[in-house]
Amino acid sequence: MRCEKCGQIVPEGSAFCNHCGHAMSQDTVCPSCGQNIPLNSVFCPKCGKMVRNDMHDDDTQGTEDTTTGASGATYNEIEREREREREHEREQAREQAREQARHEAERHRESKPYYPDSESEDDDDEELSSEPAHFNRNVIIGAAVVVAIIALLLLLRNCGGQDDDGRHSVTGSDSTLLVADANADPMAIFNAELSRNNFTGDGAVAAHAVKVPGNGADRPEVIMGVTTKNDSESRSYFKIYKLTQNGQVWMPELQHTQYLNGRTINMDNSALIADIQNVPRAVKIGDKDYYYFAYVNNPVEGGTIGRVSLALWNVDEKKLTTLDYQGPIKSLDDGRQYVYGKPLQAINSAETRFLEQEAHNVKLIHFLTEEELKAEQEAKEKEEEAKRLADPDNVDERWNEENQENVEALKNGEEVTMKTPSYDKPIFNMKEINKKIENEGYIVFAVKNGAVYGFNKSTRKYFSIFSPKGDSQPSDIGFADSKNNQMRMRTSEGRFSYNLVTGKTQRIPE
């Protein structure tokens, strides 16, 4: 159905138009007989009199209707009276709607906080339009709640405690306090700020942190800290951070990452056997500020060789200087193991000289005593001599050194087992051969300088049988029992029998 006033479609059964408020009465009164008849009737179904002049010809539309009803009033007068009644009903409906709106607004104000700046009690129009204002306030309140929840989640994310390995950590509430307290422990600030600024995602743990005093207008006081991570499958590393104070917070900056392939990193002072007052700390060398620390970095697979590294980080120039002490791991009388280390790098700068001095405060590094240094030097010389004598060019000198006591025993008629150094390549010049004898297992050569050498066909190795001291007449050689590898030889030292398998030698009387 349509509203006869505004022409808009109105739901069936409506008492009033939901667009303009016009009364939607379903019936009316016949002006002639006074009976209730349908609203849109042109003729009264009771008495047959015309009710409306909608059916008149076009030339009569718009003229005043003078039809007289039963009460003596014209139709137009009745219709105007009816229109006034309908307008009165519409006004009553609008008033009723306004009253209902006021009631709803009052009920809403009682259930929400009162905002005097956004409402006016004397303005009916504002009361009628208060729902959008309440909607805006609800949106603002909802947004504030969301922000509060996000802040709470971020706070909970920073919650923690002390790590399993005993390193420092902080809870979310502690983090807030530490950020605001510039005088808090540097390690606590370092841990808190790394967590708050999402620098802990790599799994590294904080090793230590110290405050470095400012150098005037160029740089304020900063905090320097190190994190470490050990990875046996790839590369272990440590990271150096600088924290600069900005108002009431410390802002972290990653300055350097140092990788160590195939090695572990341990910065605990208990492992270094170092005083916490000495390692780590802030130091000044000349007019430059440094962050000094140390760490153990042994091979992942273990072994008997250890290494202790001392490091200086130039705070302003972002430069790392390292001095590594490496050597065998040995136990002392106290039962602890120490690194008998020596520096791998040259001591040629102010930084390395400082680190060399500080190495004496890291007790894991064992510095040799005078006796130990002497014994080490002797062992080194002996090792170098053995290496020199192992050269095939020095075969005669080696034979005489190793068989000196055996030669004296032979002169006294004793049977001895000679030492016969062996080599993978020829130990003499083939052009110097004076005589050669051979059986199934061996070839024996007598050379011009008097030496006698052998060749083992099975092992393919050369060996020395006799070497005179200095040049002499060529020796004479021959088999006494070829099948049993027994030979005889005449040398500058006399006649001897010699077994090629056992090396047993005995002097043959003249």
Side-chain angles (χ1 to χ4, degrees):
M1 57 186 296
R2 288 183 179 273
C3 174
E4 62 181 12
K5 181 176 182 182
C6 66
Q8 297 293 328
I9 297 176
V10 181
E12 293 292 338
S14 299
F16 297 93
C17 176
N18 59 337
H19 297 284
C20 66
H22 180 68
M24 302 292 292
S25 177
Q26 299 299 311
D27 53 18
T28 186
V29 178
C30 175
S32 298
C33 64
Q35 297 293 323
N36 287 333
I37 61 175
L39 179 64
N40 296 325
S41 299
V42 177
F43 294 93
C44 176
K46 305 295 183 179
C47 65
K49 297 291 186 179
M50 179 181 288
V51 177
R52 296 173 54 190
N53 59 354
D54 292 352
M55 302 299 292
H56 288 189
D57 296 333
D58 292 340
D59 57 348
T60 62
Q61 289 182 3
T63 60
E64 184 177 0
D65 186 5
T66 58
T67 305
T68 302
S71 59
T74 65
Y75 174 79
N76 288 340
E77 289 175 348
I78 295 173
E79 188 64 26
R80 282 194 294 270
E81 181 62 27
R82 188 183 300 119
E83 182 61 29
R84 283 194 294 270
E85 291 176 357
R86 286 197 293 266
E87 183 62 31
H88 178 68
E89 291 174 354
R90 287 195 295 272
E91 183 61 30
Q92 286 181 334
R94 285 194 291 270
E95 183 63 27
Q96 184 178 3
R98 283 195 293 269
E99 285 296 329
Q100 185 176 0
R102 291 191 189 95
H103 177 71
E104 290 295 328
E106 185 65 27
R107 184 175 63 83
H108 192 68
R109 281 196 297 271
E110 290 176 356
S111 62
K112 297 290 182 179
Y114 177 61
Y115 301 95
D117 293 339
S118 61
E119 290 189 17
S120 174
E121 294 182 357
D122 298 330
D123 192 345
D124 290 344
D125 293 338
E126 185 169 341
E127 287 184 359
L128 290 174
S129 62
S130 62
E131 189 169 354
H134 284 296
F135 173 78
N136 292 335
R137 285 197 298 273
N138 291 341
V139 171
I140 295 173
I141 293 172
V145 171
V146 171
V147 171
I149 292 174
I150 294 175
L152 179 60
L153 291 176
L154 291 175
L155 195 62
L156 292 175
R157 180 181 180 182
N158 292 333
C159 287
Q162 193 177 44
D163 296 335
D164 294 339
D165 60 357
R167 299 184 187 273
H168 292 278
S169 184
V170 293
T171 62
S173 58
D174 290 339
S175 173
T176 303
L177 296 174
L178 291 171
V179 168
D181 185 3
N183 297 318
D185 173 53
M187 184 63 177
I189 295 176
F190 181 49
N191 237 326
E193 290 300 336
L194 288 184
S195 177
R196 193 174 71 89
N197 290 275
N198 298 323
F199 279 105
T200 57
D202 59 356
V205 294
H208 44 66
V210 299
K211 283 188 177 181
V212 180
N215 58 4
D218 294 338
R219 177 181 51 74
E221 179 184 64
V222 297
I223 293 177
M224 300 301 303
V226 170
T227 64
T228 65
K229 184 178 182 181
N230 287 302
D231 192 337
S232 60
E233 296 182 357
S234 57
R235 296 190 295 177
S236 300
Y237 61 83
F238 64 82
K239 293 182 176 181
I240 301 176
Y241 292 86
K242 181 173 78 172
L243 278 69
T244 305
Q245 193 171 10
N246 182 11
Q248 292 298 312
V249 298
W250 292 86
M251 304 302 296
E253 173 195 355
L254 174 60
Q255 293 198 315
H256 182 74
T257 301
Q258 185 73 24
Y259 291 96
L260 291 97
N261 293 330
R263 310 191 75 87
T264 61
I265 302 173
N266 189 345
M267 294 191 179
D268 288 342
N269 281 58
S270 59
L272 292 164
I273 318 178
D275 190 341
I276 190 67
Q277 300 299 322
N278 294 323
V279 185
R281 73 179 192 270
V283 298
K284 184 177 283 291
I285 302 176
D287 59 348
K288 299 178 180 180
D289 290 301
Y290 293 87
Y291 175 31
Y292 162 63
F293 58 94
Y295 55 96
V296 185
N297 63 109
N298 291 331
V300 172
E301 65 275 8
T304 60
I305 302 299
R307 181 187 295 177
V308 180
S309 298
L310 295 89
L312 274 175
W313 177 254
N314 189 312
V315 175
D316 298 309
E317 297 178 5
K318 300 181 181 180
K319 177 183 177 183
L320 182 67
T321 302
T322 304
L323 186 61
D324 302 311
Y325 282 78
Q326 180 170 296
I329 301 174
K330 298 181 180 180
S331 297
L332 293 181
D333 295 338
D334 60 3
R336 299 191 66 166
Q337 290 187 326
Y338 297 84
V339 176
Y340 282 60
K342 292 183 178 181
L344 299 180
Q345 296 87 357
I347 312 299
N348 56 6
S349 66
E351 289 84 357
T352 53
R353 285 190 290 271
F354 169 85
L355 294 175
E356 180 186 32
Q357 179 181 349
E358 287 298 318
H360 291 272
N361 294 323
V362 179
K363 302 304 181 184
L364 179 62
I365 305 173
H366 178 72
F367 293 90
L368 300 178
T369 62
E370 290 295 330
E371 294 77 9
E372 290 172 332
L373 286 172
K374 183 179 179 180
E376 185 182 69
Q377 182 63 28
E378 291 176 353
K380 183 178 180 180
E381 292 175 355
K382 187 176 181 179
E383 181 181 353
E384 290 177 351
E385 179 65 10
K387 184 178 180 179
R388 185 185 69 83
L389 292 176
D391 191 319
D393 292 338
N394 300 315
V395 58
D396 294 334
E397 184 179 355
R398 178 182 177 184
W399 186 91
N400 277 286
E401 183 172 317
E402 293 181 355
N403 289 288
Q404 184 176 359
E405 295 180 359
N406 289 333
V407 171
E408 292 298 322
L410 284 173
K411 290 180 180 180
N412 295 328
E414 299 178 19
E415 183 183 61
V416 298
T417 300
M418 305 297 286
K419 294 181 180 180
T420 56
S422 60
Y423 303 85
D424 294 328
K425 58 183 180 179
I427 54 180
F428 57 90
N429 190 335
M430 293 297 179
K431 295 180 180 181
E432 298 296 321
I433 296 175
N434 186 63
K435 187 177 182 179
K436 179 177 73 171
I437 61 175
E438 181 177 1
N439 67 0
E440 291 184 359
Y442 295 89
I443 305 175
V444 181
F445 306 90
V447 297
K448 294 178 181 180
N449 68 351
V452 179
Y453 304 111
F455 177 73
N456 189 323
K457 294 181 180 181
S458 171
T459 63
R460 311 298 295 175
K461 289 184 178 293
Y462 295 86
F463 59 94
S464 177
I465 298 174
F466 173 78
S467 293
K469 291 183 179 180
D471 292 337
S472 64
Q473 293 296 321
S475 298
D476 188 21
I477 57 175
F479 281 109
D481 185 350
S482 176
K483 185 176 180 180
N484 293 316
N485 298 303
Q486 193 72 31
M487 62 168 286
R488 291 179 179 182
M489 57 185 173
R490 182 187 295 272
T491 70
S492 59
E493 297 293 334
R495 296 175 65 209
F496 302 96
S497 65
Y498 180 83
N499 188 286
L500 292 169
V501 176
T502 64
K504 290 185 179 297
T505 307
Q506 191 171 18
R507 189 181 184 89
I508 299 174
E510 295 290 343

